[in-house]
């Protein structure tokens, strides 16, 4: 790998670890708020990546996907994906179970949206005020890449997890509102959910959903910038 690619990979992995850690920690925190301290007792309410890393989903696959995707050609279609260790929850201990299921499921999405909003705000201020000139020249490009990855990844994760496909958070939220007659269909989807997700990602279905949203985000980011 070239030094430039290595630098991009390092920044990408730092952002990925932050995004995944915030996502899983938010699930744990919200579950604890509704009376289930399972994840809290396991030390999952933390931004320390060590508590949330899955060796394959957080390290191996994202790194391999990033490197292969940078090569172009057919391998570039391999999706940049990643996940952390699932946050353990015990729904039997939740107060107000329906509300808890929605809030615990949505907590990770809200955490990613919060990070995305912070990244957008900082990026916008820098672009509007020219504050980048106050940053040492050698750090201007890394800072720009970091903010770009931070914004893009967290928006993408939030949108991705909202989709109603098991095992994504959106399916758990949908489960709360589905009539009992639809539960068997959802249970069937859960058996093949990961395979379906990988297929749809490879075919570019999710990119087609997320790309217009990212285009809007960057349009708003650059709006009014001279």
């Amino acid at each position: 790998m070239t030094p430039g690619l290595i630098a991009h990979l390092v920044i990408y992995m730092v952002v990925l670890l932050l995004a995944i850690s915030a996502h899983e920690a938010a699930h744990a925190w919200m579950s604890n708020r509704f009376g289930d301290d399972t994840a809290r007792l396991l030390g999952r309410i933390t931004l320390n990546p060590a508590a949330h890393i899955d060796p394959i989903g957080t390290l191996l696959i994202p790194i391999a996907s990033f490197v292969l995707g940078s090569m172009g050609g057919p391998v570039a279609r391999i999706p940049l994906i990643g996940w952390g260790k699932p946050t353990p929850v015990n729904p039997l201990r939740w107060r107000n179970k329906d509300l808890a299921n929605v809030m615990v499921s949505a907590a990770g999405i809200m955490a990613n949206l919060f990070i995305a909003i912070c990244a957008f705000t900082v990026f916008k201020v820098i672009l509007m005020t020219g504050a980048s000139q106050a940053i040492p020249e050698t750090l201007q490009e890394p800072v720009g890449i970091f903010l770009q990855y931070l914004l893009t990844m967290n928006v993408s994760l939030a949108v991705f997890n909202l989709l109603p496909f098991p095992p994504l958070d959106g399916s758990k939220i949908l489960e709360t509102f589905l009539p009992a007659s639809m539960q068997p269909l959802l249970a069937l989807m859960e058996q093949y959910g990961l395979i379906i997700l990988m297929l749809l990602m490879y075919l570019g279905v999710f990119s087609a959903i997320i790309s217009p949203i990212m285009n809007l985000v960057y349009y708003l980011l650059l709006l009014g910038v001279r």
Side-chain angles (χ1 to χ4, degrees):
M1 290 192 294
T2 64
L5 180 59
I6 293 174
H8 276 256
L9 175 58
V10 169
I11 296 172
Y12 174 81
M13 290 305 300
V14 168
V15 171
L16 178 66
L17 290 173
L18 173 60
I20 288 178
S21 297
H23 186 98
E24 298 300 336
H27 285 314
W29 180 84
M30 190 64 74
S31 188
N32 185 64
R33 293 285 294 178
F34 277 92
D36 171 34
D37 60 359
T38 303
R40 179 179 65 82
L41 294 176
L42 291 173
R44 298 298 298 275
I45 306 180
T46 176
L47 291 179
N48 183 352
H52 307 289
I53 285 177
D54 178 279
I56 295 176
T58 315
L59 299 176
L60 179 61
I61 290 181
I63 291 174
S65 297
F66 187 97
V67 174
L68 292 173
S70 69
M71 295 179 181
V75 294
R77 299 182 65 186
I78 297 175
L80 293 177
I81 58 175
W83 61 85
K85 289 191 299 186
T87 300
V89 298
N90 184 357
L92 296 177
R93 302 184 66 182
W94 283 340
R95 300 182 299 270
N96 196 345
K97 289 181 173 52
D98 285 344
L99 177 60
N101 187 50
V102 172
M103 294 303 296
V104 172
S105 299
I109 296 170
M110 291 188 289
N112 291 131
L113 283 177
F114 175 75
I115 295 175
I117 291 170
C118 290
F120 181 94
T121 302
V122 173
F123 215 159
K124 186 76 171 180
V125 169
I126 289 176
L127 291 174
M128 293 293 290
T129 63
S132 60
Q133 300 304 316
I135 302 174
E137 187 174 345
T138 55
L139 294 178
Q140 288 180 12
E141 184 178 1
V143 169
I145 294 171
F146 175 77
L147 288 172
Q148 181 181 350
Y149 281 170
L150 196 64
L151 177 60
T152 301
M153 184 177 298
N154 280 282
V155 170
S156 298
L157 280 174
V159 174
F160 180 66
N161 276 287
L162 268 174
L163 299 175
F165 296 97
L168 301 179
D169 297 327
S171 69
K172 298 181 178 66
I173 297 173
L174 180 63
E175 180 182 6
T176 303
F177 302 101
L178 280 179
S181 60
M182 296 294 293
Q183 296 298 331
L185 176 60
L186 190 61
L188 179 64
M189 288 181 63
E190 287 178 353
Q191 295 182 29
Y192 306 101
L194 188 57
I195 297 175
I196 295 172
L197 279 177
M198 295 295 292
L199 178 61
L200 293 177
M201 290 175 70
Y202 181 78
L203 293 175
V205 174
F206 294 144
S207 294
I209 295 172
I210 292 174
S211 292
I213 296 174
M214 289 309 311
N215 289 338
L216 175 61
V217 169
Y218 277 96
Y219 170 78
L220 295 174
L221 181 67
L222 298 175
L223 187 64
V225 177
R226 296 181 179 180

